[in-house]
C-alpha cells in the first residue's frame, strides 16, 4: 500500500497528540471501527464558539493517525459551526489523498470530530447544525 509523503509525514510526526489536563471543560469524542479495531479520540478546547486547541489519541493504522493529526490541525481556529462542515473528503484532500482501502480511516476522523462537537454541544446546551449523536458501534452497517 502506497502512502503519499504528506500522509507519511503526519503518521511519522503527528501533530497535536495528547489530551488536556483533567477537569478542563472540553469536548471529547471517541469512536471506533469494529472491523479493523482502530480507536480514535478527539479533544477540543473551545473559547466562545471558537476551537482554540485540539488534541487526539489514536490507536490505529497509519492512515488513522494521519487523518486524526490533520483533522486537529484543520479545526483549530474554526468556529464550532465551521468545524462541523469538515468532512472525511476534506480530510482526505488535505492529506492529498489516501489509498482507496483506507477511506474508512478518514471517515473515523470525521466521526471522532463530530462526536467531540456533539459532546461539547451537549455540555453547553448548544445546537450545532449537522452534528448528530455519535454512531453506536452496534448499529453500524457492516
Ligand atoms: Fe481502520 Fe485505518 S485500518 S482506521
Amino acid at each position: 500500500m502506497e502512502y503519499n509523503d504528506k500522509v507519511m509525514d503526519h503518521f511519522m510526526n503527528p501533530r497535536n497528540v495528547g489530551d488536556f489536563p483533567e477537569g478542563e471543560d472540553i469536548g471529547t469524542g471517541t469512536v471506533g471501527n469494529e472491523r479493523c479495531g482502530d480507536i480514535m479520540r478527539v479533544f477540543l478546547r473551545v473559547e466562545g464558539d471558537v476551537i482554540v486547541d485540539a488534541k487526539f489519541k489514536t490507536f490505529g493504522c497509519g492512515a488513522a493517525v494521519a487523518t486524526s493529526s490533520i483533522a486537529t490541525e484543520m479545526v483549530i481556529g474554526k468556529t464550532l459551526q465551521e468545524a462541523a462542515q469538515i468532512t472525511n473528503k476534506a480530510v482526505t484532500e488535505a492529506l492529498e489523498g489516501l489509498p482507496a482501502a483506507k477511506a474508512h480511516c478518514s471517515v473515523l476522523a470525521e466521526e471522532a470530530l463530530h462526536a467531540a462537537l456533539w459532546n461539547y454541544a451537549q455540555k453547553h446546551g448548544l445546537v450545532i447544525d449537522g452534528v448528530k449523536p455519535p454512531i453506536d458501534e452496534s448499529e453500524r452497517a457492516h
Side-chain angles (χ1 to χ4, degrees):
M1 182 160 324
E2 278 290 306
Y3 287 127
N4 69 37
D5 290 348
K6 188 142 188 193
V7 175
M8 284 308 292
D9 179 36
H10 276 268
F11 172 52
M12 301 299 281
N13 309 292
R15 325 305 197 254
N16 308 312
V17 172
D19 195 347
F20 293 111
E22 216 177 313
E24 256 203 67
D25 176 25
I26 57 168
T28 307
T30 305
V31 294
N33 183 305
E34 235 175 31
R35 289 181 100 172
C36 62
D38 292 353
I39 297 169
M40 203 180 276
R41 183 168 287 178
V42 166
F43 311 93
L44 303 175
R45 179 185 279 158
V46 182
E47 286 176 16
D49 71 339
V50 176
I51 297 167
V52 294
D53 204 358
K55 296 202 180 290
F56 80 94
K57 286 181 181 169
T58 289
F59 182 83
C61 74
V65 172
T67 54
S68 37
S69 168
I70 203 150
T72 55
E73 280 200 325
M74 290 167 79
V75 296
I76 294 172
K78 288 202 165 52
T79 65
L80 296 168
Q81 200 59 65
E82 288 166 347
Q85 311 301 318
I86 295 174
T87 60
N88 71 303
K89 187 163 171 278
V91 169
T92 304
E93 281 170 9
L95 284 173
E96 294 166 9
L98 281 171
K102 292 288 171 179
H104 77 274
C105 317
S106 66
V107 172
L108 210 55
E110 178 187 319
E111 288 176 359
L113 172 61
H114 275 236
L117 289 167
W118 173 261
N119 176 253
Y120 190 83
Q122 288 291 102
K123 284 182 181 167
H124 293 265
L126 305 172
V127 175
I128 307 172
D129 287 345
V131 174
K132 297 189 207 69
I135 298 169
D136 182 334
E137 196 53 40
S138 60
E139 291 170 11
R140 184 190 291 275
H142 289 281

